[in-house]
Structure formats: structure tokens, C-alpha cells
Amino acid sequence: MASRTVPKSAIPITNPNSKSITITSPKPEPANGRSSKESPESSSATATNSTPDPATNSPSTTNHPPANVAPISEAPRPSTAIKPPQNTWGSLDMGGMNIKNLPGSNGLFTFTFLINLYLNHNALTIVPPRVGLLTQLKEFYIFDNHLASLPYELGSLYQLQTLGIEGNPLDASLKNIAQKDGTQALIVYLRDNNPAAPSPPVRQWKNLLTGPEREALAADPNAETVSVLCFNILCERYATERLYGYTPSWALAWSFRRDLIMKEILRHDTDIVCLQEVDIAQYEDYFSKRLADEGYAGVFWPKSRANRLTGAERRQVDGCATFYKSSRFQLIEKQLAEFNALAMARPDFRKTDDMFNRILGKDHIGVICLLEDINTGTRLVVGNAHIHWDPAFSDVKLVQAALLVDEVQKAADRFAKLSPRPPPPVTPGVNDDPDQPISQRPPPVYTEGAKIPVIICGDFNSNPGSGLYEFMSSGHLAPNHPEFLGHAYGVYTSEGLKHRLNLKSAYSAPGAGGEGHVTNFVPGFQGEIDYVWFSAGNLGVNAVLEELDSTYLEKCVGFPNTYFPSDHVAISCEFRVKPPRDQSAKLSTTNPGTPTSL
């Protein structure tokens, strides 16, 4: 054993080469006051993530979550249940135990909460690459072993402060880097020189319709489909080594990431593309021009703080961009939903400190587009939003989502009042192909806004168990919901949140795989916070882009990486349009096999 005082929280391991490691600790004192000594049982220690260092108040962290902080938290809910005690050990001492082999399957590499790890004074010749999964490590001692090399995956340990490698027959260049420039320089070297890992499986489309339903849809001359992609692309200002220290610097560079982002967008060739975290410079210099070449027109607004800035600093402000295929859709109206301005304009919102400090200080936005199909006259209301990230402001998330939905409803009501589009002229010789079905449906007439299909995409920074998800998917939320945190916001907290859009998440559709798939993948959080909401009364889901391969994710520390250019992943789906009921009834005998419901 190493002649060193083991930290008080260190846990000695007696059989490190077994397939799994079981750590036992004295049973915590029960809540009823009885001593744990009164029971002969012992319990396994349950490890918990260590609390990350507080984020600084720089723009990169106040407007964007650090990679080791989750954008969600469990809402405070009243409960009389006794919570189990939490163990807070974070050090593990396996030094001086003559360990010769540490297989990658060892349970040690599941202890992702470890802060200090001692493997010194052993006989190791290899450190398994899976050590890169222990991203909470700050001290790692492997001196006095037989190591001739170090795994490149050590470069993923972006929080590592001390790496003890003395007494190993290592390559002289590695030793020189550590001795001359320190641990961080060695970590950066390993990170940036890590050979590209095997590429992940290509994500496929998951069809939710049966074969006969697909055939009926293709044969129906009145059938319409629309496809959508939603993607938070991680704007250049936030893609820093301080926030994403596990990502190679070259893979964080905008010149590298933008090509991967564009490749992902074009690969799916959707009718509508909703992007978040697009800054002004990226939109003007790259996306608007590049996507125009592919037949897309765009609508973009930056966050509110752009109004206070000028020059290069203003061009770094991010916002939301919505693109649509100009050969199919005409933009009838576009609208900026500036959440802090909308809140200030509401007469029922009292101008309290909470309003100024919690709502008005957040400059998140939504972009609303009213689109009309040039050929069929079918209308769409498309919302695109980025909701505040901080879990300490769950009330702000609810208010921003409610304001967005309110504006979408108003926009749909305005849209319904416009006269229907005249049918396209019939040109002799056109559509004479007997194999190409010809639509017999006149342009739809929308008697109210609720009849118009609605799609709302975005990064909502809320998981499926949140109050925001409950509100969006059910159409209501109780005024005393705990995620309001006791703050008062007019009608929202006196009568509750309500909407009449009949929204559902595309990935909650039968056969889509259910909610809970990963859309945001960083060391501090892996889960679903991005959504494509749709009005279930007039849209149905045909297909969704499948979730990420779980086996691949198990080998990753977090995104961005060589293959994924953002900390978020794109989600995409295809919808079928259900015409207004009065028109669909007239055409119901045309193709009775065509699916009409979700």
C-alpha cells in the first residue's frame, strides 16, 4: 500500500480485477433515531454526482448551460416520504495492490462521480480507454506502474487538475509536456490528438404507418405531407473549451462544425427547418446564403439584447431561424415573439421585483411564420422558440412557453380570417401523367384558427416530466403548480395556464418510441429537452427520425464531438395534413383507406 494518508472519504477496494466492484459502508442512522448498530444488515453505498463549481457570470454561462450542469431539475413537490440518505464519497484508493490488469468492463468505470482516483504503485501496463468516462475526476494518480503509453481518452477529463504519472516508462514527449506545461497541457494534447473514433450508426427514419396505409397515402391525390427538422446548433460564442473541455479544439471550431450542421440539415431534405442558437453573423454570412442555394427562404430574429449592441458584438447575438422551401410555401406573415416585451405589455402582470428580475431580464424569443402552400392553399402556423435554460427559473420557462402559445393562437386566428387562396390555373399538357394523381380538393377554408395546422419546434429546456411538458401536451396547468415557485404572474397563476391547440409531441406518437430519448448529450445531462409539437386535430405523424444508438452513447463523454457538431441533436418528423372536417367529409369516399388519425 502506498505510504500516504488516504483521504477520509476514500474507499479501499479488495478485489479490483473482478467484473463488478461492490462497496459497502456502515448503514446510515435511520430517521426513527435507532442506531445502525442495532441492525446486522449493511447497505451498498449509493454514489451521487458531486456538486459542480458555480458557473461564472460571463455571457457564455449566464445565457447557456455549462456542460456539467443539467438544464432541468426535479420540481419541488410536497411529500411526506422520508428521502433515503445520500452518500457523498468521491475518492477511491486502489494503490499498492499489485494490480496487473484493469479490464475496461470493470465496474470502476461506472463510477462517473469520482473526484479522486488512486491507482499508483501497481503493475499496470495499460490504462483502459474507458477512463475517459470519469469526467468528474480532478486528481488521478497512476505513478509507479509499468505504463509505456497513455490512452488518448484521458483528454476527455476536462476537469482534471492533477495527473500523477511519475515512475512509468512513458514516451519522453509526454513526460516533457507534463513537466514543462503541466497537467492541463497534457490533457489538451491527448484530447486534440485523439484519432477519430468509429462513426456512429446512421440514423434512419422510423415509419409509423403500416405498408397499406403508406400505399393509400401515396395513391390519394388529395393527401398532403409536410416534413420538419428542429436543431439547436450551438452558436459559435458558446462553443468554448471552458464549457466543452472534453471536445477537441478543432472539433469546436465553427469552420468544422458548420459543415456538419449543414450536412445534417440537407441529408433529411425537410420542407421546414427550425434552428436555434443561430447568431446574426452565421445567419447572414452562411445559413441564409447556403440554404438559398438549396431552395430555402428564411426568417430570422436575434434575441432582444441585439437591440442594445452594435458592430461585431451585435453580430454574435444568437436567435431563432426558420427556413421553408420557397417552391412550395409562400410566407404570408412573420412575427417576433419577444417574451420580456410581451410580459411587460400584459395588464394582468403586476410590475413586481419578480417581473423585473426573473422575466424581464431574460431575452429569449420565438419566431412565428404563417405559411401557405402555393399549390393547395393549405396553411401552416410554424413556431420556433428557445426557452430559458436555468432550472432555478422553472417559473420563467412556464411563462415563456405560455406567452409563445398565446401568440401562436392569436396568429392562427388572424390567419383564418384571410380569404382562401384561389386555385392554381389549369395548364393544358400539365398533370397529364396517368400515374400521377391529380388533386380534386379546392383550397381549404378555415372558419377558425383552431382549424389551421400548427407546428411548434424548439429547445424548451424541459423534460417530459416537467410542468412545461404537461402544459403543452394537455392544454392546461394548475395555477398552484410547484414549478411556478410561488411567484405571481397574473392570470397564469390565478386561473392556470390554458391553450386550445390540442398539441402533442411528435415523438409521443404510437410507434415513435416514446418520450425520453436523448436530444441533449453532455456530461452533466443526457435527456430530452427539444420537441416538435403539432396540433393533433389536423396533423398526424407518418414518421420520425430515430433516436440515437444507445451503444454508441455509452462510449461517449458528451457532444459536440467529431460526428455531432452541437450539444443537441437534430430531431425530425413527417406529418400528414388532415383537411378541415367539412371538406374531408366531402372527400371521404375518394380514398377510404387513407389514414386520417394519429
Side-chain angles (χ1 to χ4, degrees), residues 255-551:
S255 57
F256 175 83
R257 293 195 304 113
R258 72 177 189 179
D259 292 337
L260 287 182
I261 293 168
M262 186 58 64
K263 182 180 179 181
E264 180 74 1
I265 293 172
L266 298 181
R267 184 169 75 88
H268 303 298
D269 191 32
T270 56
D271 300 307
I272 298 169
V273 176
C274 294
L275 305 179
Q276 303 86 43
E277 287 197 26
V278 180
D279 69 34
I280 295 174
Q282 294 164 0
Y283 179 79
E284 293 178 348
D285 299 343
Y286 184 70
F287 285 105
S288 62
K289 297 177 181 179
R290 184 71 178 82
L291 287 174
D293 294 338
E294 302 294 334
Y296 288 93
V299 175
F300 169 77
W301 264 290
K303 291 178 180 176
S304 308
R305 64 179 176 275
N307 299 328
R308 307 188 302 269
L309 303 173
T310 59
E313 192 173 7
R314 181 180 183 276
R315 282 170 56 82
Q316 291 183 325
V317 177
D318 67 290
C320 297
T322 300
F323 295 91
Y324 57 92
K325 288 191 173 180
S326 55
S327 61
R328 177 175 179 183
F329 294 108
Q330 178 183 355
L331 178 66
I332 304 301
E333 181 181 313
K334 59 183 179 180
Q335 176 188 344
L336 168 65
E338 204 169 20
F339 300 137
N340 52 11
L342 291 170
M344 179 63 80
R346 289 182 65 99
D348 62 322
F349 277 23
R350 295 170 56 192
K351 304 305 183 286
T352 63
D353 288 344
D354 284 340
M355 269 292 296
F356 285 97
N357 296 329
R358 300 186 70 81
I359 302 295
L360 302 185
K362 312 296 184 296
D363 64 349
H364 297 76
I365 63 165
V367 172
I368 301 171
C369 295
L370 308 186
L371 301 177
E372 189 172 72
D373 191 296
I374 295 172
N375 296 312
T376 67
T378 294
R379 294 173 178 175
L380 286 174
V381 179
V382 179
N384 180 12
H386 192 182
I387 302 301
H388 185 59
W389 73 270
D390 194 340
F393 290 83
S394 59
D395 56 321
V396 174
K397 299 184 185 190
L398 292 176
V399 170
Q400 290 181 347
L403 291 169
L404 172 67
V405 171
D406 285 348
E407 293 305 303
V408 168
Q409 289 184 145
K410 294 175 185 176
D413 290 339
R414 291 196 307 272
F415 207 4
K417 295 177 182 178
L418 300 181
S419 301
R421 188 181 191 89
V426 178
T427 304
V430 178
N431 293 334
D432 289 343
D433 186 353
D435 297 327
Q436 184 68 30
I438 301 174
S439 176
Q440 301 174 359
R441 190 182 72 190
V445 176
Y446 300 99
T447 56
E448 57 178 327
K451 303 285 187 181
I452 300 178
V454 171
I455 298 172
I456 303 177
C457 301
D459 174 3
F460 287 82
N461 277 309
S462 303
N463 66 7
S466 65
L468 185 149
Y469 186 96
E470 180 182 344
F471 162 63
M472 296 292 287
S473 61
S474 70
H476 57 83
L477 191 72
N480 61 345
H481 193 279
E483 289 185 25
F484 279 118
L485 304 178
H487 300 290
Y489 298 111
V491 174
Y492 289 169
T493 50
S494 63
E495 300 179 10
L497 303 183
K498 300 175 184 176
H499 73 74
R500 49 183 172 79
L501 295 178
N502 189 19
L503 296 175
K504 300 297 178 185
S505 168
Y507 281 80
S508 70
E515 301 289 28
H517 62 110
V518 173
T519 69
N520 179 230
F521 187 72
V522 292
F525 176 77
Q526 300 89 39
E528 180 183 18
I529 57 177
D530 304 85
Y531 301 93
V532 176
W533 304 98
F534 69 99
S535 52
N538 35 44
L539 290 172
V541 185
N542 291 345
V544 297
L545 185 62
E546 68 180 2
E547 61 272 15
L548 295 171
D549 181 70
S550 59
T551 303

Side-chain angles (χ1 to χ4, degrees), residues 164-183:
I165 58 174
E166 302 85 354
N168 286 290
L170 288 171
D171 182 272
S173 61
L174 295 179
K175 288 184 178 180
N176 290 338
I177 294 173
Q179 292 171 356
K180 181 180 178 181
D181 300 315
T183 295

